[in-house]
Structures are given as structure tokens and as C-alpha cells.
Amino acid sequence: PRKDGSNGGTFVWTKASVCHVHSQIEASHQVLSSGGHGREIKAMATTPILMKNKEGEIQYIPTGAEDTTIRIWSFNEQRDESGSTFRCLGTFGKHTTGIQQLRWSADGSLLFSAAGCEEFFVWRVQPVPFLGVGAVCEAICPQVTDNGDLRVMDFAVTEIARHPGEDQNLTERGYIVTIVYSDSSLRVFRYPSPHSGRSFLLLRTGTYTTHCLTAASYLGPDTSNILCTASSDGHIAFWPMADSLRHISAKRPHVSSTAAVHQNSIKSLVTIPLDPAGLDCLIITGGDDGALGMTRCMLSNVSTRPVTSTLLIPKAHAAAISAVEYLLGTPSKESSQTHVFVSSGNDQRIKTWIVQVTAHDTPSNSTEGLSHDQIGGCISVDPPHTSVEDRLRVAVEASDAHIAIKSSISAILWNDIKEKMDDECRYLPRDLFEHYLESIRTLVSQQISNQIQRSTLSKYKLRERSSSRLKSLTDLHCTKKLHRINLRQHRKTSASMTSVENQPGPNMVFHPGRLPHMKPLVVGVYGVSGCGKTYVLDQLKDILDSEYFSFYEGSEMVAKVTPGGLKAFQGMKEEDQLMYRQRAIDKIAHRCCKSNKVRIVAGHSMLWSETEGKALPMYTQNDLNVLTYILYLDVPSDVIAQRRSDDTGKARPILTAAQLDVWKTEEKDLLRGLCRSHGILLSTLQHPIDTQTVAALLGDFKIHSEYHNFSRAKEELEKGLTLEAGIVLAMDADKTLAPEDTGALFWTAASKKWPSVVAEDTLKTLFGGPLGYSHTAFRQAALLYDEVASDQDFAEICQHVASQVSMYPEIISLLHFMAEQDNIDLVIITSGLGLVWKKVLELEGLSDAVTVIGGGRTKDAFVITPLVKSYLVGYMREEHKKYIWAFGDSPLDLPMLNKADRAVVIVGDELTRSRTMDAALKTAINEHGLQPVQINLPNTSVPRPGLPRAQLTHPLLIYDILGREWPNSTAKVVSATDTSATRLLATPMRNCAVAGPELREAHRRVGHHLATTYVAEIIGLEQPRIQHVLGRETRGYQLRHEKKTTIVALMRGGEPMAFGVNDAFPHAMFVHAKDPQDVKMHHLEGQLTLILVDS
């Protein structure tokens, strides 16, 4: 590459003994548009209503493509720096096959998506301020077949009508979802199920014929009446449904009638209601035969068989019609209606049609009253070197502000299309839309009165209109790749908002059923009067950039909002003082929102009352709503007393050190409870206060968010992944790799070192409180680790804790074995202390082979929550295409286990393992489809009910992890006859002069030789800890799983040789067996290796 930073460079290569040199000063190509998706776009939909966000009211435009992702876009007439008028708000990728169809719910809160392999997902979509939009996949429709061979061809969604007396705000919306499959079947589901929450309840199942169903739609406003389906035999079929969705029949749906419309497959279908009662509708179909069908369907109250009449337009397109979409209608007062729709096909044409419908008094089979015409020809796409993508969708939807014309076109046509009818979406201003609508109305009136001439219509050709009025739509595919990746990460962040760990956080406001939004970042600096808050603020002003931080004295802000200033405030009644305190903190929050700065406020939660002789709470509810962090200055009481005495400029009551101690203790206890119940992070700073440390902490507060946390954890993960490895073992640490909880061990050690200031149950109290196991709780834990120990003390305690951890021998053997494999990466993702586990692995000789992803302190820049574990596993699967084996032991690991390809639950001793895991596992298995196996460590632990068992070091599991087939059971024979050592050892055994004890000793020596030379090589070794002769700890060697090895001496000849084997493996079990019946079950149960010895 060139050193000047350009895209040019020099390429040197040899060919046929000739050296070739190619040089260029710039790139040989230029990217005109990066595209919106990696592959062709298959589906699109727009929200039926305008959605509110920080920018006002907008329409969300989701697109689905063959790259398996869904992107949600918004339109802005102001172009960004890349020239795009479209902005990608989020990218969501849970599908594993190409997206085929997208539909919105009526209120725009749910997005339904369908793809191949029977994938049908429900997404809850909500705006996320400052970030765009968040979507959570809240339900997955169960598969029809075991292997997911079917394709979801289309689906229809309708909202269940509520009873008139029901509270519209309290009653949860319900939907009827009808899905048609490629095997000619349809299924009707209710979502959500009234019995099991976010799941599908199967109501009915029906079968058409042997022809594939291609489309589905309900007729009329009461959509429970008739379902219309299209199929590959060219027919549309009508399926009577129940009169009420609340009382759907258990009988199988049947076809009441069919209508032949096309010669072969129907590719698209749209229905247009003509009657408010739902008894009259128009069905527009496009077929593989290039014809356009308009079928009028009239129903009666006494029959489920509709009366149909079809008007077919042959050769409407020169090739198959792949999509039709309804644009708009202009109902006539003279009992006639006019409707406009668009069709597109593989002939590279988009055509606009107008149809006039005259009312019938009674159902009729004739096409009388149905006429059509094409408005001004079509929009062509030249050159036609490839077909428009088979699901080209064009739609026009009017709103109060604009009309959107949407289309999905294969990316290969991009440069040819953008000059004429550009890709994806086009917005018209309101005035242009009114002009366009008025033109159509003029056309309609002329057609009704005169049988309009073709020449009259020509001036409305869309080709001419597009060149002068329609804006360019090239921008939807112009989103930068980096922006797309960032929003993909945001999508994963947004998905967290509905997880079980949702708890109030320092930067989040949570409301039931809604995604969180950001709070202003306001940091309170608290402490008893005289602790030095003002001094700290003055020091921070010199250190921190005023562009990002601003500082306030709480008393000064109160004085500014109080008429008459601080003196007037002090003379007010208590309730009036409370009001002005609230105004002061609200004003700070308001300024924070306007400038997006971090506001640092010196304040207090308690003040000393001279009349009552004690400290009284002085905080307001507004303080708790606004503050995101509190830094408490914990200065010794005698120092504070001296400072108060020396500061003659302020009138303060004279307090003793003992009184100040009481004040501090009560205030810290009060703040600890208030902060944890309101999601405020609290950090206690010990004397002397290091303002550089405080500044670093404030810098962390400013940049840290759940998204930032994800990013830093991902960066740490990237360091441990290799390109060669296709398999990753992702393991939890505490109580998974070892029976110990390192967090509890740390605080036990800290409480012994500082018994007066550290509680042994610190973590238990934190996670058992209101914060639960949320991101905020783990952040609070990091602040607690910062408080309790300096860097040196923290490292020493971690080293001490590591020495107390005894990893399961089976885990150690597994890790050592997997570390030798080239195609496997080993990753530990722990919510505990990452430094402890790094030291533990170092003691086991695994530090170079295993990557540890774990935080602990704010300096680590991230914490590992259950959601982060799930995110990292999903990231490895989706971005790196790794096959993930996940190991965990508690409910906190279930999100990770559920995200992995294979899940393993480690089951420890019944007294120390998680007591809530059984219920959590049952929910994960029944509702989320988790299929784990359990491994009992130790092997004698009581299994968890309902889970299949496996042995961690069993060859079957090892081969499964490695992705290899189990080898044939042919015995492997190792010959030890031809070595010099064996010949020497075997000679006494053959010498008839050797007998008695000497012969037994000869057999023993042979057994020892075979064990150390051959058996150890076949089975392998492990490294236990041993005490060195010099008194230090070191590593030795022994047979792998020696304590789980049984040596069977086949009596009588095998006993002396078996003693030699036992000498080599002293920890193994020794069994005498004269007959097979002598080997009992307890000799084998729990053992991993069996050695039979005979001479």
C-alpha cells in the first residue's frame, strides 16, 4: 500500500519465472452505493400509523432480505453526508433464512416476519431516544415439521375485536395469525395465547389440495368471516371461518368455493373492501401467466359461499406479475367507487391501474359494473438484463404529512434503476400528493362521464411525472457499513430491555411494556457539612473539560430559584423549602437535557437539626428521579470537626466528632437504601480524596452505557478468538468450573482483613435487593470492589482466593485436552472476578490456552451480566460463524445457554448449587425450546430432574464436542514384544529356574513397565498439585482420571502383574476377579477407565 494514505499500491508476483509488477495510485473502482442489504430485498412494509419519536412523527419502513436481516428505516428530506435521504434506525438478525414477508399490526407496535424453514417471528418495536429504534423478538411460532422443511408462503394478521364493555387500555391486544405453507396446508393461531403468555395457540389446521398455497388475506372488516387464499393451480379459494374470533370452531377449516382466475400459479394477491359491512370486496391477483385478475366477491348473511365475477386482463405484463399493491381509493357518492393499484412484473415494468366499481343491489356472477384502465402506461426499467426480484413490492400509503411509494428491487439492478424509478422508498411532499390525487380524481370524473380516450390519459404517464416531480430514491441502499454495524449492536442492546434482568439503571427509565430511555446524567457529590464538597468541585473544575462537565453548588441553585435568595429560603416553612429544592434539581436536569453535559451537584441528603439534636432527611423525590450517580465523601469525623471549627465564614452548629459519626452512619445507610431502590449508583470515596481518581470515575460515568459495556466486552472477546477454530467452548466460572463462589470468597477474605468496615455478605445483600442481577447491580458491585481495596490489596486478595479454588478434575482434563485441538477456542465468560479466574487458570497451567472475559472493577471498563453472556455467545455465532458449546450452572447462565448451539448444565452438590435452577430450567425448556444435558460434578451429586445426563470426559461427549463421528469399536492392539526392555523383563518369566516370590516380582516389574510405558501413553496424563521437596508448591504427573480408574486382576495369573500396574497408578481402585460376577456395579459406577490385567 502507498504511504500517502491513498487507496493505491504496488502488487508484485512471479509467474513462469517472470517477475511482474503492477502499480496504481488510486483504487481501480469506486463504490457508488453500498446497498441497504447484503443481498436482494424480499419484503417491505410501512407502519399503518405515524410513530412518535424525538424528531416528531415518522413512518417506520422495515425491509427484509435474503441476507436474513430486517432493517428499519426512516425518511428525511434532508440528505446526510453520503447523499442519502434514508436513515437506518436498526438492524435485527434472528432469522436463519431469507425473509419472505413482513406485516405490521394495526397499531404499529408488532412486526410479524416470515422466512424459510418455517420461521415465523413476532417483533415488538419501539423507538429508543437518541439511538433510533429497538426491536425484541418476543415470540417464535412453533414449527410444523420436525426438520423445518416447509416454507411460509404468506400470512394474514388481524386484531381480535374487543367487547364493547372492555377497557381498551387495560385489555391486551390479541391477534389471529393465519399462515399458509408450501405443503398446501394452513394453520390458524391466536397470539398471544390466553393460557401461556408470549406464545402461539394453534386454533385450526386445514389442507387445500396438492397445490402450493401462495397468498392469504381476510375479506371485509370483520375478518373472521372469510379467508381468501391463492395457489399454484391458478385458483382463489374461500375458507369460511367462525363468526367470532372468541369462539373459533375446533373443526378443520374447509374450502366453501373456488374461482379459476389464472392459467397457472398466482404470484400475488390483494383485497380491497367495497362495503363497510364486509359483504362486498374486490380481489386483485397477478399471475405467472402475465395476466391481471380483478375478482369481485359478494357475500350474503345466509351463505358462506361467496358469489364471484372475474375480469381478466391478459398480457397485462409481458412476463409473470410478481406483486400487486393497492394505492388509494376515491369512493363516489353515486354508489360507485374508483380505486387505484400498482402491478409489477419480471418484464421490468411498474404499471398503475384504475378500476371503477358500480354497486350491485344483489350478488351477481356477471362482470357488469366492473371496468378498468391503465393510467399512462408504465415505468420501465432498462436495460432488462435481469428480472426484478420475485417479490418486488410497490405500495403507496397516504398519511397526514406524506405519501410513501415503496418498492423492493434486487440490488443488481441498482445503477440501471436509480435514474428512473429508484429503489425502496419515495416520499412526496403534501402539496405534490394533493396535486397527484386531484389529477386522479379528474381522470375518474372524465372516465365516468365520457368513456375517456386513451389520448386523454397519456398526459398522466408516470414516466413523465417521475422525471419532474418524484424525488430520487437511491438512498436506501447508501447506508454506510460502519453505521449498519453500530446499529446492529444497538439492536442487540435493545433486545435486552425485555430480558429477565431488566431493572432500573442509572441511565435508564423503565416503564412496563416500554423500552427504556436515557436520563440526564446528573452526579451528586454528597457528604456531611464540612467534608470538603466545595473544595472537590473546585479541583474538578480545573481537571475536567467544561465542554462536557458543569458544576453546581446545591445551596447556590436553591438561592437562584428562591425569591429573596438563601436567606429567604431559610426562613420559609418546611413544605415551601421542599418545593424550592425540587425546583432547583429540576432546573439542573433541564439544563442537562439541553446541553447534554454531565452535571455535578454538591448536595446532601440529611442536615443536622439543632432543635432535635440529630440529622434529619432533606432529600426530595425529584432528587431521586434526577440523580444517576452519587459520590459520597467519607472523611473522618475528627477531620470534619476541625474543618468546621476553622471555617468561620459559614454559620454551622458546633458538633462533636461522635455526633458527626452518627450523622455519617445514618446518611450512608439512608443513601444505600435509596440508591438501590431507585437505580442510582453510589460510590463512597475514602479520605484523603484523590481528585484525579474522582475525575477518572466521572469520565467513566460519562461514557459508560449498556451499549458501551457490550462493545468493551466484545473487544476483550475478540482477543481470544482465532480464525482456525470453528468450535468455541464458552463456560461460566463460579460453581461451573469449581464448586466455589469466588465473589463470596473475596468478601469473606476482605471482611477478615478489615472486619470493622467490610461485611461478609456484601454481594448477597446487593444482588438480593431491588436491583437484582441487573446491569446496574453489577456496576454497583464494581464500585464496591473499588471502595474496599487499593490495586495492591485487590490483587493480593484475588491471589489468596485463587489458591482456595479447586477446579473439578474433569474440567481440568477437558480444558487441557481441548487446548491441544487446533479447531477449538476456550472462553470463560464470568460475572465474577476476572482476575481471580486468570490466576486460577495460571495455577492449572491453562492461562495461555483459555481466554477469560470477566470484569470486577470500574477499571476493567465492563461488567458481565446475564445479558452480556448471551450477547457474546450470539456474537460469536452470528458474526464469526462459530459453533458454540455453552456450560453453566445457574439461572444467570440460561440466556447464554439458550443462545448457544449446545447447552450443558453443570450440576454440583445439592447443598451449594442454585436452588432456583430447577424451576428456571423448566421454563426455559417448555417456553424457549432449550435442550440441555446435565453433567454431575462430582458424579455422586443428585441429578436435576428431567435432564438427560452425560459424562464430561466420556469419549462419546468428547467426539461430539469435536464434531467427529464415533470411531468403529475395533479394538486397538499395541504390541510391546519387540523392545529391548520388554525382552529383558520377560526373560525371568520364561526361566523355569525362577519360581515363588522371585517369579511374582518378575510379573510385577512387567506390569509396572507396561503401565508406565504404554498405558500412560494411551490414556494420557494430568498434572496434580504436589509439595516440592524445597517446601513450595509445584506440579507433578499422574494417569488421567487416575482416581476414576479401576484395575481388575484376573485371578490367579494376573494378580502379580496387576500389583505392578497398581504401583504405577496408586490412586486407582484395585479389584480381584476370578469370575465376571466378581466385578460388581459399585466397582464400575462413576469410573472412567477400566484396566484388565492378565499374564
Side-chain angles (χ1 to χ4, degrees):
R2 294 176 61 88
K3 296 182 179 180
D4 58 5
S6 66
N7 292 325
T10 302
F11 178 57
V12 181
W13 75 98
T14 59
K15 181 180 180 181
S17 302
V18 178
C19 180
H20 300 264
V21 179
H22 172 78
S23 180
Q24 61 187 49
I25 60 174
E26 59 183 10
S28 59
H29 65 278
Q30 181 181 359
V31 178
L32 298 178
S33 172
S34 60
H37 286 269
R39 295 181 61 186
E40 60 264 36
I41 298 171
K42 303 281 284 185
M44 174 182 285
T46 57
T47 47
I49 61 175
L50 293 178
M51 309 301 289
K52 294 182 179 180
N53 71 349
K54 67 181 182 67
E55 301 173 355
E57 292 185 331
I58 63 172
Q59 252 182 332
Y60 291 154
I61 308 169
T63 57
E66 278 292 339
D67 64 356
T68 74
T69 65
I70 298 173
R71 293 176 179 274
I72 296 184
W73 308 83
S74 68
F75 174 82
N76 191 333
E77 292 184 2
Q78 299 298 323
R79 297 179 181 272
D80 59 20
E81 64 269 12
S82 66
S84 174
T85 55
F86 282 85
R87 183 165 68 96
C88 182
L89 303 178
T91 303
F92 316 108
K94 189 175 181 64
H95 283 284
T96 59
T97 57
I99 311 297
Q100 300 298 316
Q101 197 63 269
L102 297 171
R103 296 267 196 280
W104 284 103
S105 62
D107 63 347
S109 63
L110 296 181
L111 179 64
F112 301 85
S113 62
C117 298
E118 303 175 24
E119 292 182 347
F120 186 90
F121 298 163
V122 182
W123 305 81
R124 185 166 295 277
V125 181
Q126 295 241 2
V128 179
F130 308 108
L131 295 177
V133 67
V136 178
C137 182
E138 73 173 24
I140 299 176
C141 185
Q143 288 186 346
V144 176
T145 61
D146 293 335
N147 52 10
D149 277 345
L150 300 182
R151 178 184 290 269
V152 175
M153 302 301 297
D154 197 8
F155 62 95
V157 178
T158 181
E159 185 176 346
I160 299 176
R162 302 174 181 175
H163 288 316
E166 288 181 320
D167 188 331
Q168 301 299 308
N169 296 321
L170 296 179
T171 306
E172 184 179 12
R173 295 177 183 271
Y175 300 88
I176 294 298
V177 180
T178 303
I179 305 176
V180 295
Y181 297 88
S182 54
D183 67 343
S184 191
S185 67
L186 65 82
R187 283 165 173 77
V188 183
F189 297 88
R190 174 168 179 161
Y191 177 81
S193 170
H195 309 302
S196 56
R198 304 295 180 198
S199 61
F200 287 78
L201 175 64
L202 179 61
L203 300 176
R204 310 181 73 178
T205 302
T207 303
Y208 177 54
T209 61
T210 58
H211 294 88
C212 174
L213 293 174
T214 58
S217 178
Y218 279 101
L219 307 183
D222 183 2
T223 53
S224 61
N225 289 338
I226 299 291
L227 175 71
C228 178
T229 60
S231 58
S232 58
D233 62 354
H235 287 64
I236 56 175
F238 301 92
W239 306 68
M241 295 294 176
D243 293 333
S244 171
L245 293 175
R246 298 180 181 275
H247 307 288
I248 286 189
S249 170
K251 298 179 181 178
R252 293 177 63 86
H254 65 281
V255 176
S256 63
S257 63
T258 61
V261 181
H262 294 271
Q263 296 179 5
N264 43 33
S265 179
I266 297 176
K267 306 286 285 186
S268 53
L269 176 148
V270 64
T271 60
I272 305 172
L274 304 176
D275 176 20
L279 300 178
D280 193 0
C281 69
L282 185 63
I283 303 172
I284 310 295
T285 54
D288 220 4
D289 54 0
L292 189 69
M294 291 179 284
T295 303
R296 187 168 185 177
C297 173
M298 303 187 70
L299 308 171
S300 68
N301 294 321
V302 296
S303 174
T304 59
R305 295 174 60 88
V307 177
T308 60
S309 56
T310 299
L311 178 62
L312 191 68
I313 307 174
K315 300 182 180 179
H317 282 262
I321 297 177
S322 55
V324 294
E325 196 66 53
Y326 178 60
L327 294 183
L328 52 97
T330 54
S332 173
K333 296 181 180 179
E334 287 76 29
S335 67
S336 65
Q337 299 180 28
T338 303
H339 299 276
V340 182
F341 61 92
V342 170
S343 64
S344 66
N346 293 347
D347 59 351
Q348 315 299 319
R349 299 293 186 269
I350 299 174
K351 298 186 178 183
T352 306
W353 302 85
I354 185 169
V355 58
Q356 181 185 349
V357 183
T358 304
H360 281 307
D361 293 332
T362 58
S364 170
N365 288 99
S366 76
T367 58
E368 183 180 356
L370 188 64
S371 62
H372 76 282
D373 211 332
Q374 180 184 340
I375 304 178
C378 61
I379 298 172
S380 64
V381 181
D382 297 316
H385 54 71
T386 183
S387 64
V388 177
E389 212 288 338
D390 65 345
R391 293 297 295 169
L392 175 64
R393 178 169 300 278
V394 179
V396 174
E397 297 188 4
S399 70
D400 290 339
H402 49 254
I403 180 171
I405 302 178
K406 311 176 308 250
S407 61
S408 293
I409 302 177
S410 176
I412 195 171
L413 295 174
W414 177 253
N415 292 328
D416 301 320
I417 294 170
K418 67 176 182 178
E419 294 290 331
K420 298 174 183 177
M421 181 62 180
D422 301 306
D423 195 43
E424 295 297 337
C425 298
R426 187 189 305 271
Y427 279 77
L428 302 181
R430 180 66 182 181
D431 57 346
L432 184 56
F433 164 63
E434 291 288 355
H435 179 79
Y436 179 65
L437 187 60
E438 187 59 35
S439 299
I440 293 180
R441 286 174 178 164
T442 302
L443 267 176
V444 172
S445 63
Q446 290 176 352
Q447 189 177 34
I448 293 174
S449 60
N450 300 332
Q451 300 292 323
I452 291 187
Q453 301 289 323
R454 287 281 182 179
S455 60
T456 307
L457 294 171
S458 62
K459 63 181 179 181
Y460 296 101
K461 287 186 178 181
L462 288 183
R463 177 182 293 179
E464 297 173 4
R465 300 178 60 80
S466 64
S467 63
S468 61
R469 297 188 179 112
L470 298 182
K471 291 182 178 165
S472 173
L473 233 218
T474 61
D475 309 275
L476 191 56
H477 282 302
C478 292
T479 307
K480 293 182 178 179
K481 184 176 181 182
L482 178 61
H483 182 54
R484 181 170 71 245
I485 293 174
N486 288 341
L487 285 176
R488 183 182 302 159
Q489 304 312 322
H490 165 61
R491 176 256 302 174
K492 294 170 182 175
T493 306
S494 301
S496 73
M497 306 313 176
T498 58
S499 71
V500 294
E501 71 161 5
N502 277 350
Q503 301 288 343
N507 297 336
M508 300 289 181
V509 177
F510 285 84
H511 301 278
R514 288 170 52 188
L515 294 177
H517 62 269
M518 302 299 292
K519 286 174 62 176
L521 198 58
V522 182
V523 181
V525 179
Y526 281 24
V528 302
S529 179
C531 67
K533 297 188 290 290
T534 302
Y535 174 80
V536 170
L537 256 63
D538 290 340
Q539 294 290 311
L540 291 174
K541 289 177 185 177
D542 295 334
I543 299 174
L544 298 174
D545 191 339
S546 59
E547 183 179 351
Y548 304 107
F549 298 88
S550 58
F551 303 86
Y552 297 89
E553 278 281 358
S555 57
E556 292 178 2
M557 186 56 64
V558 170
K560 288 182 180 180
V561 300
T562 304
L566 196 59
K567 189 172 182 180
F569 174 83
Q570 293 171 345
M572 291 180 178
K573 295 180 180 179
E574 185 175 336
E575 56 269 22
D576 293 332
Q577 290 181 343
L578 177 64
M579 178 184 68
Y580 286 110
R581 286 195 185 97
Q582 291 175 337
R583 289 185 181 179
I585 192 66
D586 288 344
K587 189 169 185 177
I588 293 172
H590 178 67
R591 291 183 178 180
C592 187
C593 290
K594 289 181 65 176
S595 66
N596 201 28
K597 289 184 179 182
V598 178
R599 305 287 170 163
I600 303 170
V601 186
H604 41 249
S605 59
M606 301 184 77
L607 284 177
W608 190 267
S609 172
E610 293 185 83
T611 57
E612 299 195 26
K614 61 179 181 180
L616 299 178
M618 300 300 291
Y619 66 90
T620 70
Q621 185 60 43
N622 294 36
D623 295 327
L624 302 177
N625 294 339
V626 169
L627 289 171
T628 47
Y629 296 88
I630 291 179
L631 301 178
Y632 190 85
L633 307 186
D634 193 0
V635 179
S637 299
D638 55 346
V639 175
I640 297 175
Q642 185 62 46
R643 289 177 180 175
R644 290 167 64 95
S645 176
D646 295 341
D647 188 1
T648 57
K650 294 183 179 180
R652 294 182 175 128
I654 299 175
L655 299 177
T656 65
Q659 290 174 312
L660 291 170
D661 264 337
V662 173
W663 183 355
K664 279 202 314 177
T665 301
E666 292 180 354
E667 188 168 31
K668 286 191 290 184
D669 290 343
L670 174 68
L671 285 175
R672 190 175 296 112
L674 291 174
C675 288
R676 294 185 183 181
S677 60
H678 289 81
I680 302 171
L681 287 175
L682 173 65
S683 179
T684 302
L685 304 177
Q686 302 296 329
H687 182 74
I689 308 299
D690 182 1
T691 50
Q692 291 290 344
T693 301
V694 178
L697 196 58
L698 290 170
D700 174 79
F701 291 168
K702 177 170 177 56
I703 66 172
H704 193 93
S705 65
E706 288 197 64
Y707 172 70
H708 177 265
N709 190 68
F710 286 142
S711 299
R712 293 304 300 268
K714 184 190 72 174
E715 290 173 9
E716 196 70 18
L717 174 67
E718 291 279 10
K719 299 175 184 177
L721 297 181
T722 61
L723 293 175
E724 298 80 12
I727 303 170
V728 176
L729 268 60
M731 296 180 160
D732 174 47
D734 294 316
K735 297 193 176 182
T736 297
L737 305 181
E740 291 85 11
D741 182 339
T742 58
L745 292 176
F746 180 96
W747 288 100
T748 299
S751 65
K752 292 179 179 178
K753 189 169 186 176
W754 303 289
S756 61
V757 294
V758 178
E760 185 176 352
D761 60 349
T762 298
L763 285 188
K764 185 177 181 181
T765 303
L766 171 62
F767 291 115
L771 295 177
Y773 289 95
S774 65
H775 175 262
T776 305
F778 283 98
R779 282 279 288 167
Q780 183 62 68
L783 292 173
L784 290 174
Y785 283 117
D786 287 344
E787 292 174 21
V788 75
S790 64
D791 291 349
Q792 182 178 348
D793 289 335
F794 182 78
E796 290 177 356
I797 296 177
C798 286
Q799 184 66 54
H800 171 72
V801 171
S803 66
Q804 293 182 288
V805 175
S806 299
M807 290 180 64
Y808 293 116
E810 296 87 346
I811 293 287
I812 296 173
S813 299
L814 178 71
L815 293 178
H816 275 290
F817 177 78
M818 293 301 171
E820 298 171 359
Q821 311 304 312
D822 294 332
N823 66 326
I824 290 184
D825 283 335
L826 303 174
V827 179
I828 291 175
I829 309 175
T830 175
S831 298
L833 294 169
L835 181 58
V836 169
W837 284 104
K838 289 177 182 178
K839 293 180 178 294
V840 171
L841 292 173
E842 185 179 351
L843 293 173
E844 298 294 345
L846 289 164
S847 56
D848 294 333
V850 183
T851 300
V852 177
I853 313 297
R857 310 177 79 190
T858 56
K859 292 181 179 180
D860 296 314
F862 66 89
V863 293
I864 299 298
T865 66
L867 180 64
V868 174
K869 290 184 177 184
S870 172
Y871 165 74
L872 293 179
V873 168
Y875 175 76
M876 288 188 286
R877 285 188 64 193
E878 296 169 14
E879 298 298 325
H880 288 276
K881 309 303 180 186
K882 306 287 189 182
Y883 191 87
I884 311 296
W885 282 76
F887 294 72
D889 71 286
S890 73
L892 300 185
D893 303 318
L894 286 177
M896 174 179 72
L897 297 178
N898 205 43
K899 200 76 172 179
D901 295 285
R902 301 289 292 274
V904 177
V905 176
I906 301 297
V907 180
D909 186 85
E910 196 171 16
L911 297 177
T912 58
R913 70 193 188 196
S914 172
R915 299 178 182 178
T916 59
M917 185 60 167
D918 286 339
L921 268 174
K922 185 177 180 181
T923 301
I925 293 170
N926 295 338
E927 297 186 9
H928 304 294
L930 181 66
Q931 296 181 339
V933 298
Q934 65 173 318
I935 291 176
N936 298 82
L937 298 176
N939 194 61
T940 55
S941 62
V942 178
R944 293 195 183 274
L947 293 185
R949 294 184 64 180
Q951 289 189 355
L952 190 58
T953 53
H954 194 284
L956 280 175
L957 182 63
I958 300 300
Y959 272 83
D960 199 8
I961 293 175
L962 294 175
R964 301 174 186 171
E965 295 184 1
W966 180 244
N968 296 329
S969 58
T970 305
K972 181 180 180 180
V973 178
V974 178
S975 175
T977 306
D978 297 330
T979 66
S980 298
T982 305
R983 289 168 178 161
L984 289 173
L985 290 169
T987 298
M989 299 169 61
R990 299 176 179 178
N991 190 346
C992 63
V994 178
E998 188 179 354
L999 181 60
R1000 291 177 62 86
E1001 177 61 20
H1003 280 261
R1004 188 198 64 77
R1005 288 197 300 267
V1006 170
H1008 188 275
H1009 168 70
L1010 294 176
T1012 55
T1013 307
Y1014 296 96
V1015 176
E1017 188 68 26
I1018 294 171
I1019 298 177
L1021 302 178
E1022 59 188 12
Q1023 293 180 278
R1025 298 179 188 178
I1026 60 174
Q1027 201 68 21
H1028 196 273
V1029 292
L1030 298 179
R1032 58 182 174 85
E1033 190 178 76
T1034 185
R1035 292 281 177 177
Y1037 292 91
Q1038 65 184 27
L1039 186 70
R1040 179 178 289 168
H1041 312 309
E1042 185 172 312
K1043 294 181 180 179
K1044 292 183 176 295
T1045 298
T1046 299
I1047 301 170
V1048 179
L1050 303 181
M1051 297 292 287
R1052 289 176 47 211
E1055 183 186 51
M1057 189 179 292
F1059 283 145
V1061 176
N1062 199 195
D1063 289 342
F1065 310 139
H1067 300 294
M1069 180 189 297
F1070 191 94
V1071 178
H1072 292 87
K1074 185 176 182 181
D1075 300 305
Q1077 292 79 7
D1078 294 336
V1079 181
K1080 307 298 182 182
M1081 180 59 69
H1082 66 270
H1083 295 144
L1084 304 177
E1085 190 172 13
Q1087 300 297 89
L1088 299 176
T1089 306
L1090 180 66
I1091 302 176
L1092 304 178
V1093 186
D1094 195 10
S1095 176

